[in-house]
Amino acid sequence: MHEWLANYGFLSLFFLSFLASTLIPLGSEWLVVTMLLSRSDPFAVVAVATCGNYLGALTTYLIGLYGADFLKTRLLRMDPKTTQKAERLYERFGSYSLLLSWLPVVGDPLCLVGGVLRVRFIRFSLLVATGKLARYAAVAWVTLKGAAAI
């Protein structure tokens, strides 16, 4: 599967980044690193990964905005403990906690809670896209610096 994903380049990166931000516990960073080490354009890699990951988070936000509890528990497999962690982050930091939407475990619930709490779309988009862009840019920077040192 690793080889198949690597062979389809940007399309694979987009879909893997999208899925990593929604239903399936996946990581897309390995493909970002693989593509960068294969000499793909770093700006394009970061842009595609960020777009896919943002759109996946937007899907989760829309489920929170319009979805029923059934969708939250069955589709996203959100248990009460994970949802409570996300809600506590919101209580403490407000919508700015969406900057942390890139984090494993609590990132998807943060986007879901953003929808449930009706965070404005523009605010949601700016905060989530900024966080996800920062993550992929950091992965790219570390990868390229490490590759240059070799």
Side-chain angles (χ1 to χ4, degrees):
M1 182 164 167
H2 168 53
E3 195 169 312
W4 182 84
L5 286 170
N7 287 337
Y8 285 94
F10 287 106
L11 183 62
S12 294
L13 179 60
F14 177 84
F15 284 118
L16 186 60
S17 298
F18 180 92
L19 291 174
S21 177
T22 56
L23 314 174
I24 304 169
L26 294 171
S28 54
E29 293 79 10
W30 70 269
L31 189 52
V32 168
V33 170
T34 299
M35 290 180 71
L36 291 171
L37 293 176
S38 298
R39 307 240 189 267
S40 293
D41 177 27
F43 294 104
V45 170
V46 169
V48 169
T50 299
C51 287
N53 214 244
Y54 163 75
L55 290 173
L58 181 59
T59 302
T60 306
Y61 168 81
L62 292 172
I63 290 170
L65 194 60
Y66 299 111
D69 285 332
F70 173 80
L71 289 173
K72 296 173 200 169
T73 56
R74 293 291 179 130
L75 191 58
L76 294 175
R77 299 182 190 143
M78 301 287 306
D79 62 12
K81 184 179 178 183
T82 305
T83 303
Q84 286 175 347
K85 282 182 184 179
E87 287 173 348
R88 279 196 300 269
L89 271 172
Y90 262 86
E91 288 172 11
R92 188 166 181 196
F93 301 108
S95 62
Y96 288 103
S97 61
L98 287 168
L99 287 168
L100 303 175
S101 65
W102 60 270
L103 287 171
V105 181
V106 296
D108 295 338
L110 284 172
C111 294
L112 184 72
V113 172
V116 169
L117 296 178
R118 308 263 188 250
V119 173
R120 289 182 304 135
F121 175 76
I122 297 295
R123 182 183 211 67
F124 172 86
S125 293
L126 288 173
L127 292 169
V128 170
T130 299
K132 293 181 180 295
L133 173 63
R135 176 196 49 201
Y136 286 116
V139 168
W141 184 80
V142 167
T143 301
L144 295 172
K145 283 292 185 186
I150 293 177

